[in-house]
Amino acid sequence: MVAAVDELRKNLSSGALVQHDLECDIPSSAILAICLACMAVLAFVNWRFTGGFGITLLSTVVMIVMGFFFTAVASYIVGLVGNSNSPVSGMTITAVLVAGGMLWLFNYSGTEAMVATLGIAAIVCCVAATAGDVCNDLKTGSMVGAAPFRQQMMQIAGVCVAAFVMPPVLNLLHNNIEGGIGGRELSAPQASLFASLARGFSGESELPWNMIGYGVLVGIIILAIDWYLKKNKYKFRAHLMPIAVGMYLPFGLATPILIGGIMAHLYSKDKPVADHDRVLHRGMLFSSGVIAGEALMSVGLAGLAALGIQSLDLGLSTAAVTMLSVLTAIAIVICFFRQTKPQQ
């Protein structure tokens, strides 16, 4: 991080650009100008929602500082374990705790404090997720010989496009799926946790400090157990993050994750550790496609519901629908097995 800041300072002072296309980035002066413009927009949005100069200044400063550090954290984690394993939710929870604590220390409470806390958390969440994605893209581009400057320009364009595409899609899902976001179908457990913390810090509800204390104690115990297992070179480890995620995820999500983990373990346990990624790679790609397809189908069904089409009655009997569902499931399993079989 220090080296990156020092490099930015040198580029700003020298103004020199590397001419080689594969080493040319967006000029540091342009990056600084974009950052200042974004800060101004964030400050304006904070002021519009909170209505106070003091809380706007405080929340903007906290937002910028936390965004800066979590960008480095997310980039580092992506470099180690990949973008899909970046603990964005953990960083967002940290942002909620820090932001809520800072606002509480400065005697801000009520709706404006809750809005400011959630605003800071939202920005930090977007920063961490985008930083990981950008690093992943730049690494891929470096491997295939892409020009960083062009990648960075398209990444900026992609963020702008996503900012206009995501709100209508989320509204479509919220308004046309039973219960909306936060309901049974789209439970959003992490968002519920963020809201509970924000309400507690802002005084809108009582924060269960005893449960937080118990959680800290359990976390310390798990870390101690994991340290013992690592010290004695056990193959089994008690990593804190998966345990914590498994504790607050709904049972309907935690169960298939557990089953998938067991299947992956059984499939790869007889393979050398160095070959685990190769063995599981095709399965991960196929599973990612299934998840993306399910998400797209949800958006499509929500779109049909918005048009007034609540059901598609094909005139089939219950037995026929059940049989088709079973056959489809069997076909998917067979396809999954054939497509995910590792290439020799």
Side-chain angles (χ1 to χ4, degrees):
M1 187 187 299
V2 175
V5 173
D6 186 58
E7 185 69 21
L8 177 63
R9 181 186 60 80
K10 290 179 180 178
N11 289 340
L12 287 173
S13 60
S14 64
L17 288 177
V18 180
Q19 297 301 317
H20 195 283
D21 194 45
L22 297 182
E23 298 178 1
C24 181
D25 296 301
I26 294 178
S28 299
S29 56
I31 295 175
L32 184 60
I34 294 173
C35 289
L36 292 175
C38 291
M39 292 178 191
V41 172
L42 289 176
F44 176 74
V45 172
N46 281 332
W47 176 77
R48 287 285 296 173
F49 279 101
T50 59
F53 176 78
I55 192 172
T56 296
L57 180 62
L58 177 62
S59 58
T60 302
V61 171
V62 173
M63 191 182 295
I64 292 170
V65 172
M66 295 191 68
F68 177 81
F69 283 104
F70 280 132
T71 296
V73 172
S75 303
Y76 179 74
I77 291 175
V78 167
L80 290 178
V81 296
N83 194 28
S84 59
N85 295 314
S86 181
V88 175
S89 59
M91 288 185 273
T92 308
I93 292 173
T94 303
V96 172
L97 293 173
V98 173
M102 291 293 294
L103 293 170
W104 179 77
L105 286 175
F106 283 86
N107 294 321
Y108 289 109
S109 61
T111 303
E112 63 173 7
M114 183 169 59
V115 170
T117 301
L118 292 177
I120 293 171
I123 294 299
V124 170
C125 178
C126 293
V127 165
T130 305
D133 180 66
V134 168
C135 287
N136 202 43
D137 290 346
L138 290 175
K139 174 62 178 179
T140 304
S142 175
M143 295 173 66
V144 300
F149 177 84
R150 293 182 174 86
Q151 281 189 280
Q152 292 157 8
M153 293 297 295
M154 294 310 300
Q155 284 160 351
I156 294 174
V159 170
C160 295
V161 171
F164 289 99
V165 172
M166 288 176 62
V169 172
L170 292 176
N171 283 329
L172 183 68
L173 292 172
H174 182 67
N175 295 327
N176 295 282
I177 290 182
E178 184 179 358
I181 297 177
R184 184 176 63 86
E185 297 295 333
L186 300 173
S187 57
Q190 297 160 332
S192 300
L193 176 61
F194 303 155
S196 299
L197 291 173
R199 283 195 295 265
F201 276 114
S202 62
E204 296 292 320
S205 64
E206 188 68 27
L207 197 63
W209 290 107
N210 58 332
M211 297 302 296
I212 294 176
Y214 294 149
V216 172
L217 179 61
V218 171
I220 293 174
I221 293 173
I222 293 173
L223 287 174
I225 294 173
D226 184 59
W227 174 81
Y228 175 80
L229 294 173
K230 180 180 179 181
K231 181 180 179 181
N232 291 275
K233 299 181 179 180
Y234 283 91
K235 291 184 178 180
F236 178 80
R237 295 286 300 279
H239 295 292
L240 179 59
M241 181 62 73
I243 295 174
V245 171
M247 290 175 69
Y248 76 79
L249 282 181
F251 191 73
L253 289 177
T255 302
I257 292 174
L258 174 63
I259 294 173
I262 293 174
M263 291 174 62
H265 171 71
L266 294 176
Y267 190 75
S268 61
K269 68 176 183 178
D270 297 328
K271 311 292 191 302
V273 176
D275 291 342
H276 281 187
D277 287 342
R278 181 186 64 83
V279 170
L280 299 176
H281 179 68
R282 291 171 63 83
M284 292 176 63
L285 289 177
F286 187 88
S287 301
S288 299
V290 172
I291 294 171
E294 190 270 342
L296 292 175
M297 283 297 297
S298 297
V299 175
L301 292 174
L304 292 176
L307 295 174
I309 304 174
Q310 299 297 328
S311 63
L312 297 175
D313 188 2
L314 301 178
L316 300 176
S317 64
T318 304
V321 172
T322 303
M323 181 60 67
L324 286 174
S325 300
V326 171
L327 292 176
T328 302
I330 293 174
I332 291 175
V333 171
I334 294 174
C335 181
F336 182 85
F337 177 78
R338 292 174 62 88
Q339 294 296 323
T340 59
K341 187 176 181 180
Q343 295 177 340
Q344 302 298 328

